[in-house]
Amino acid sequence: MKEKRKPIMSGFTHILHGGDYNPEQWKDTPEIWQEDMRLMKLANCNTMSVGIFSWAVLEPEEGVFDFSFLDTAMDNIAKNGGKAVLATPSGARPHWMSDKYPELLRVLPDRQHALFGVRHNHCFTSPVYREKTAKINRLLAERYKDHPALGMWHVSNEYGGECHCPLCQAAFREWLKKKYGGDLERLNHAWWTAFWSHRYTSWEQIESPSPIGEIYVHGQNLDWKRFVTDQTADFMHNETAPLREMTPDVPVTTNFMGFYPGLNYWKLRKEVDVVSWDNYPNWHMPDSNIATAVQTAFLHDMNRSFLHKPFMMMESTPSLVNWKPYNKLKRPGMHKLSSMQAVAHGSDTVQYFQWRKSRGSSEKLHGAVVDHCGHENTRVFREVAELGGLLQKLDGIVGTMPESKVAVLYDWENRWALDDLQGLQNEDKKYIETTLKHYTPLWKRGVSVDVLDFHEDISAYSLVIAPMMYMMERETIQRLKQYVAQGGTLVCTYLTGTADENDLCWLGGLPAEDLKEVFGLWTEEIDTLYPEERNALVLPDGTKYAVCDYCEIVHPSTAEVLATYKKDFYAGQPAVCKNSYGKGTAYYIACRDTGEYVDVLYGELLQQLEIPRALPNLPEGVTAHVREGGGERYLFVENYNGAPVQVVLEKNYIDMETEQTVRNTLKLDGYGVSVLKEL
Amino acid sequence: MKEKRKPIMSGFTHILHGGDYNPEQWKDTPEIWQEDMRLMKLANCNTMSVGIFSWAVLEPEEGVFDFSFLDTAMDNIAKNGGKAVLATPSGARPHWMSDKYPELLRVLPDRQHALFGVRHNHCFTSPVYREKTAKINRLLAERYKDHPALGMWHVSNEYGGECHCPLCQAAFREWLKKKYGGDLERLNHAWWTAFWSHRYTSWEQIESPSPIGEIYVHGQNLDWKRFVTDQTADFMHNETAPLREMTPDVPVTTNFMGFYPGLNYWKLRKEVDVVSWDNYPNWHMPDSNIATAVQTAFLHDMNRSFLHKPFMMMESTPSLVNWKPYNKLKRPGMHKLSSMQAVAHGSDTVQYFQWRKSRGSSEKLHGAVVDHCGHENTRVFREVAELGGLLQKLDGIVGTMPESKVAVLYDWENRWALDDLQGLQNEDKKYIETTLKHYTPLWKRGVSVDVLDFHEDISAYSLVIAPMMYMMERETIQRLKQYVAQGGTLVCTYLTGTADENDLCWLGGLPAEDLKEVFGLWTEEIDTLYPEERNALVLPDGTKYAVCDYCEIVHPSTAEVLATYKKDFYAGQPAVCKNSYGKGTAYYIACRDTGEYVDVLYGELLQQLEIPRALPNLPEGVTAHVREGGGERYLFVENYNGAPVQVVLEKNYIDMETEQTVRNTLKLDGYGVSVLKEL
Amino acid sequence: MKEKRKPIMSGFTHILHGGDYNPEQWKDTPEIWQEDMRLMKLANCNTMSVGIFSWAVLEPEEGVFDFSFLDTAMDNIAKNGGKAVLATPSGARPHWMSDKYPELLRVLPDRQHALFGVRHNHCFTSPVYREKTAKINRLLAERYKDHPALGMWHVSNEYGGECHCPLCQAAFREWLKKKYGGDLERLNHAWWTAFWSHRYTSWEQIESPSPIGEIYVHGQNLDWKRFVTDQTADFMHNETAPLREMTPDVPVTTNFMGFYPGLNYWKLRKEVDVVSWDNYPNWHMPDSNIATAVQTAFLHDMNRSFLHKPFMMMESTPSLVNWKPYNKLKRPGMHKLSSMQAVAHGSDTVQYFQWRKSRGSSEKLHGAVVDHCGHENTRVFREVAELGGLLQKLDGIVGTMPESKVAVLYDWENRWALDDLQGLQNEDKKYIETTLKHYTPLWKRGVSVDVLDFHEDISAYSLVIAPMMYMMERETIQRLKQYVAQGGTLVCTYLTGTADENDLCWLGGLPAEDLKEVFGLWTEEIDTLYPEERNALVLPDGTKYAVCDYCEIVHPSTAEVLATYKKDFYAGQPAVCKNSYGKGTAYYIACRDTGEYVDVLYGELLQQLEIPRALPNLPEGVTAHVREGGGERYLFVENYNGAPVQVVLEKNYIDMETEQTVRNTLKLDGYGVSVLKEL
């Protein structure tokens, strides 16, 4: 029997519910501070995130500190029986700091020195900024280390961006020296600098990519992006050092941002004790919620997979956001549904940006638990409070986990390489879209999935799906090979194994190295279709599925041909192949289908491989997930349709919200969700 | 009986007709100077604008002045019996000036220092430039103060743009100090700088908004825009001081630019004796001319309302312009129609850019009275001359005015706030488009409208229409309240009273403060629709009208529900409310309709309130307007259709062009216009 | 009997076949060097371009030279019986050079100093860079002047771009002083600086156009573009001087880029002995290949017309490129067809970028003869080898030429003026598209065409077609006049003769000067249509042809009206006129038709003028061209359809590939091409 994992905050065995709380914006209105505590209870909230962006209040002049507002806020939260997620304030600095130390403002890619403004506008290399952040973090830790409200550390906020200042250029060069063992010729090879006479003869010649310099050297771009991630992690390390020293038992996190391209979160996860992320899906798009639900589910799975334990949904909106092209209200029910989706996939929290709408500046129309009207008589407040009531019944879920027999591979560096790649369809290689197309059939069938990058251990999975695995190093090739040889089932596509870890194309025939044997074929060339063009893949029984964007021309050696192209000069040639290799099987889908074919293929594979599903026979737009541990199994059933549905059950359950027993059939309202405990 | 207003130029009781005249471009061809005077007579023109952009000729070297070309031009105009609108030359400077004083060239928002080029590229703070402009203006006034041709001053040209140089930064800080009474904490509150740690601890920290610094602080953006307007007005004040001193009886104007977003013309109007503006409508769009005619009518009404007296159409094109995506010829008749539209709305001039096409540079294909061929045998010349002939018969109209019982509110600062607002539909809040949608039903019915900003006296109007009145200060709230309490009829919409004058959201429930009582409701939240989405509002009799973009959810207290939503989760909830308050009535339209509903609503209100119309039963695409004064009433009937129409009259008139009596029915050609004097 | 021209490389009487070859990218893999020579033979290649972008290898440190890689490459090529097109390396510099001499990096239009990066990033004025390029060119010439592989010089690579540094500003001013004879007033007149007070009082005030300064002064923009071309030619002259001195018998070329807007190739051609260009058509667009084939044919004709002798196709791709939005594979057969198209129009080479795909950097997915797999067992390699086999049979074609009785005029400066022109349809004047629309009817009928600029001798042509001849100087006007007077047939359109060579509009009526007599009409105004609008031109028999974009209103004096407008206010007025003038005829097409009308018109004119055609009765999508010389005539028949066709022949031929006799009918596969020698 699997044990439950420990709760996020030691000894606080509840699902966390609360939000970003900025009482420093209301210093002149103490009645609002009081109201907040009354409303927090009414809303069934137990956790508030405080201190994000508070530096100007905490240190109004250099070296002059004033923690009084935070003292009060922490005390209030504790008195209310709640916990604080206490932030370090590095996401934005006071004016005086960049006035005195202008070098801590970023230099932009075109080498302009930024002015004070917005947030996250700091050089992550600057020694002064590192000193300043370490110092205030230490003061915060010293002051609150024994405070009963302190539940965890929220380090900075949504790390992101990059800096091109001389300090960063120097750090980049040092990073490169280390990576290439001090051998400039290794760098010249990796960046293929013989092309266009770019050969470096001195480390000092190296500059970060720039629109007024070089942006087309793929190896250089890759290394710069890697450096940015590493330097951000290093900056974070500097931030967390005093926290870990002073409060070794208080967990540390920083909030990730889903598919944010600028940071490889597989690296950054190593700096956190708990993964947290900010989740802002596009609910209520004109067509349906399914694509949104699928993408959000995938991101929850990825965030859970970073550390293979429950994660935190650190931000979400109780109603709408203010930065999308069209900012729609969540329909009634959607708030509970979308919050419970996070829990279903392994979140042990439902947290919001933001507790109370600010009066001014850019986010004043961003949704909040408490609106400008200031009272609780709003639909949004009621839905938050209702959700809070449900969460209070779910202490048992804390620490349980989904179990996955399927892994989908999605890799940040592969994405960087594809985004940078000049060729094929240049506007967008659609790596994420394609990965989601392969994930959708699993979601529809209530199959639990782990999302991994190319360097993770895959040996325990029955099925590994890795679309567009363009860039991979030799070690990855060997891992895939052994996985199949030892009995695994692997599905790859066109572009597999084209380039190595420096984005140098593999020589000697594709897919690279031993993959030709694993898939039993070699690939000769790839045709790109115009957006409106279609081909089809044809099964032996004549069934056809639409093909778009890419058609690779492949030559099987040992592979069996599962489908062929319908037309064009490669009509009749293989479009999908299957190869037995060692004890396992490798599928090669040589073209991009519009989604119907992979749905059928994965349906068959799930049956063949006897992959467990949370529930069979799910209606369209409905999915189900299981969390288990400590001998308990919880079933989440989610209806993303606006209309009610009925779902057939195979076991008996108790509904955690109504506390009623449920048998045979479950009825769900439009946007309804149920949490059922298996009896 | 209302008196006529005085003519624009003292003692010159004619409608002004003429255009921008640049003889300095033809210094080497004296025969063209002669031809211009012959052609001016042939074209029935009486007024030429001279000296715009002539600085390089007037002061070829620093301190060396040569007015000879202007002497000749002024003499020629006078000899021809005409008047000159004499320009100050600040719209563009000679090269030598920015060579010697580079600080007078603008600094761009990204802090790049502009090079010499284009026009309007001057720092409006620069002491040197102020000194130079004051000096040349004084010389012009001294030289021509008694010249018979001098009719008025055309100060600079189309003021616009902004400068971010250190001088302007310092002036901005001084402006802020003054506004906030030297209290930085008041600024911190107004700009809500507790958000993102932006709190200022010194005035010196403040910078203008910049894409490489801060652009998201709404209070800061608003104050910067206000400063730009005030500094422009101050620069203009500096320009006009010597003119007013030397020629106290010669009126001063500067040409405005319609909806130009960069300047709040309600401020700038205080610097002029007569309002003038440049009018370039998009006639002959593929669908119809109605939307163009409506927008142009609205702008004429606004320009007349700035000073509540006849205004000048300072620029318009006799044929086409050269800067639109597609530059079409005016169809035969359209020149007269569009020129008389200006007069119908209160213009006492029809003036052109430009008299004669330049041979080179960027505007050489812009329409002109005289084409490159140089002779009068062109359609354009003939239409100008024909119009001039008609204008010569309209001396009686000079000084008459329309009378309006309806005011539409349109406010520059509200527009700035909406443009800046992050939320709802982010691409475009459609403030102007929506205001025009509310104005269209009045235009179609021949109702005269004044266009006011939020600070004007509205007590004399029977009906006040104020769409999307998002930002308003307490004083405005009180003005609206008293207007209704004392018997007025007010129509507002979704978003009313959301933020105060610093764009800080009002607390305590919306619409702000007492407006909840005035409208008898409070508003909870606002839903945004995708562009292709539609809801509907349903009247009690079941009639439906399409709703787009926004649906606000409102809760009536005392208000009567006039219409409800047809669908979505707020189906059946109020979409339009009406509230009796004091002696008056307040309407609240909670959603944006596609235009059909407001057409019906205003049709009913006009009847109920007995608002006068120029003519009843106007055909589609036809409107009518009245100017009156000194016991005379002139009716303008305008046909924006390409096909002829018949219009039913209720009185007897004399046609000012044909001098025939007109009874019962008026026939108008396609693009026809008639000016009728009531008998 | 016309003689054949000399072969490009003296004594090498073969069609050149080969590609850009970069062995310096494979310095660590000598086995690849060996393979390349084996594969070169297998591919039937005889010419390799070497040394492009090799500077960092040739001069790794300042003054330290290492030609060893080039020695080996040249020796290998010679041993293989081939020839080298040896490049000068100025297209990209080593890092050390811009480190030491930063002034040789470009300054961008906004005056930012570029960093090291990409290619072609050099100041063309910099004395240091000129010294460095001259020096290495001299060393190359000294070293290889007697090498048996040296066939010709490939100077730099795709010259392009511009620099705005102080050195270039000074050079621009000198260029202007020379052009205007030191008289600043002549410049002031030409740039019409009286407009917007732009008058220059010192040469030092002049700056190149800049987005932060002036970009709207058309005369200035024109002169800047002329200067850029002249300065590039001057830079090239400096490059070629040592080559011409050391190897007077080795021809010099630089590769042009089709319609590249930045350089007037009519000027640059004077620096080359042989014209070469890089050809990358968009084959296999969704609709058909005809538009692509027409544009490519036009460019081949233009490149042949530059020097009126066989040219080189220096670059083309064997399969696909990597920089288009969608990069499709050439369908089987298309490689031979598109290569033979070049030969049919006068190319004596088929050359590729690139011989072997690079492993890394931006062009690694660009098509090549040898793919990353490294072997010859690919479709692309087989098609290249097959084409090479055919070319080996075509020695007889070397030096033959097409004969043209039709000239189409296309002029770079006219294009610059139209691109800059503010007015009409501002987004795109469609000069190239319109020129191609007039060229298409000739292509469809197998008519050989020379493409000339406005300054070439046209006296020998039976028909001259000159669409949108907006800008022309007096000399050109006179040339057209005399051409018609002496019996020529001239076809012009709307906008003819609007501006002079400084883009100053002609005064006194359009078309300019004597052209009114030549065409027997004057033009009054021009109407612009919206993209979706259509008018029609109507022939006397009632036939109608669609008209789009522009309708000019013209007044015939002596001209005969061939067609009138169908609608709008100019309905019934002339749309097409024909005028007898002297011994010739001038046609004036006053509107833009959608292509159907000019097809009919040119069909008739070709018959009337008895213009020879390669073959009559060509099927849709098929064209034919003839090369002749030394008493031999070669017929090329090209099928751009995917489906096979049959073509009727009028003579007997021998097929050069099959060596079979062909009579009566020729069968061509889809994308088939045949080269037939007339018996």
Side-chain angles (χ1 to χ4, degrees), chain B residues 598-611:
Chain B
V598 292
D599 189 59
V600 169
L601 176 70
Y602 291 126
E604 291 170 4
L605 286 179
L606 293 175
Q607 276 200 306
Q608 285 169 25
L609 300 169
E610 297 177 357
I611 310 281

Side-chain angles (χ1 to χ4, degrees), chain A residues 7-186:
Chain A
I8 290 169
M9 296 176 183
S10 178
F12 198 73
T13 55
H14 315 294
I15 303 230
L16 305 184
H17 185 221
D20 280 17
Y21 176 45
N22 304 295
E24 72 272 35
Q25 293 184 17
W26 307 92
K27 287 187 80 173
D28 308 331
T29 44
E31 67 278 14
I32 285 181
W33 285 56
Q34 292 307 316
E35 266 298 275
D36 281 333
M37 288 303 106
R38 184 183 72 83
L39 292 168
M40 181 180 158
K41 278 206 169 159
L42 266 184
N44 297 313
C45 284
N46 58 19
T47 307
M48 302 300 255
S49 301
V50 287
I52 308 168
F53 304 122
S54 303
W55 204 332
V57 178
L58 298 177
E59 191 179 359
E61 292 174 50
E62 186 167 21
V64 176
F65 295 91
D66 176 1
F67 294 95
S68 56
F69 108 85
L70 205 49
D71 291 348
T72 311
M74 293 287 283
D75 292 351
N76 285 347
I77 291 165
K79 273 184 234 156
N80 239 22
K83 284 285 181 183
V85 177
L86 182 53
T88 69
S90 67
R93 298 147 315 289
H95 266 290
W96 59 256
M97 203 187 295
S98 50
D99 292 348
K100 181 157 179 196
Y101 310 105
E103 71 270 27
L104 59 77
L105 291 174
R106 286 185 180 159
V107 169
L108 307 176
D110 69 355
R111 307 309 192 244
Q112 272 197 299
H113 202 132
L115 305 174
F116 181 90
V118 298
R119 50 177 181 169
H120 308 307
N121 175 8
H122 63 266
C123 169
F124 43 37
T125 302
S126 158
V128 173
Y129 198 54
R130 289 183 172 218
E131 182 193 315
K132 291 287 181 197
T133 50
K135 181 171 178 192
I136 196 158
N137 291 4
R138 175 171 300 274
L139 290 174
L140 286 166
E142 277 174 0
R143 190 170 193 94
Y144 299 109
K145 65 179 191 298
D146 301 318
H147 197 288
L150 181 65
M152 70 184 304
W153 291 109
H154 177 299
V155 179
S156 197
N157 184 65
E158 294 185 345
Y159 281 123
E162 59 189 41
C163 175
H164 297 258
C165 77
L167 291 165
C168 288
Q169 302 292 350
F172 182 39
R173 288 178 200 125
E174 286 310 307
W175 184 94
L176 290 167
K177 273 186 209 167
K178 196 168 155 199
K179 171 169 179 181
Y180 293 105
D183 181 353
L184 199 51
E185 286 314 309
R186 280 180 55 201

Side-chain angles (χ1 to χ4, degrees), chain A residues 110 192 196-198 200 205 212 214 218 422-424 426 505 524-525 527-528 530-533 568, chain C residues 25 53 55-56 95 99 112 115 118-119 284 322 324-329 331 359 362 364 378-379:
Chain A
D110 69 355
W192 205 251
W196 289 358
S197 245
H198 273 34
Y200 292 96
Q205 290 164 345
I212 63 163
E214 186 57 66
H218 298 156
Q422 292 179 58
L424 312 172
N426 268 314
C505 288
E524 182 179 344
E525 52 186 343
D527 195 29
T528 298
Y530 288 102
E532 64 274 25
E533 276 185 316
D568 219 314
Chain C
Q25 292 184 16
F53 304 121
W55 204 332
H95 266 290
D99 292 349
Q112 272 196 300
L115 305 174
V118 298
R119 50 177 183 169
H284 309 300
N322 71 323
K324 295 190 175 172
Y326 305 94
N327 295 288
K328 292 190 85 67
L329 298 174
R331 269 52 197 153
R359 279 196 73 182
S362 61
K364 63 182 178 289
T378 65
R379 182 178 71 95

Side-chain angles (χ1 to χ4, degrees), chain B residues 336-337 615 618-624 635-649 655 657-658 662 665-676:
Chain B
K336 184 156 79 181
L337 172 59
L615 274 184
L618 289 163
E620 173 83 5
V622 177
T623 191
L635 176 69
F636 297 74
V637 193
E638 311 150 33
N639 176 23
Y640 292 94
N641 302 294
V645 292
Q646 293 207 349
V647 181
V648 177
L649 303 175
D655 185 307
E657 186 163 24
T658 64
V662 187
T665 302
L666 174 71
K667 292 182 188 178
L668 287 173
D669 286 340
Y671 308 134
V673 58
S674 286
V675 188
L676 308 176

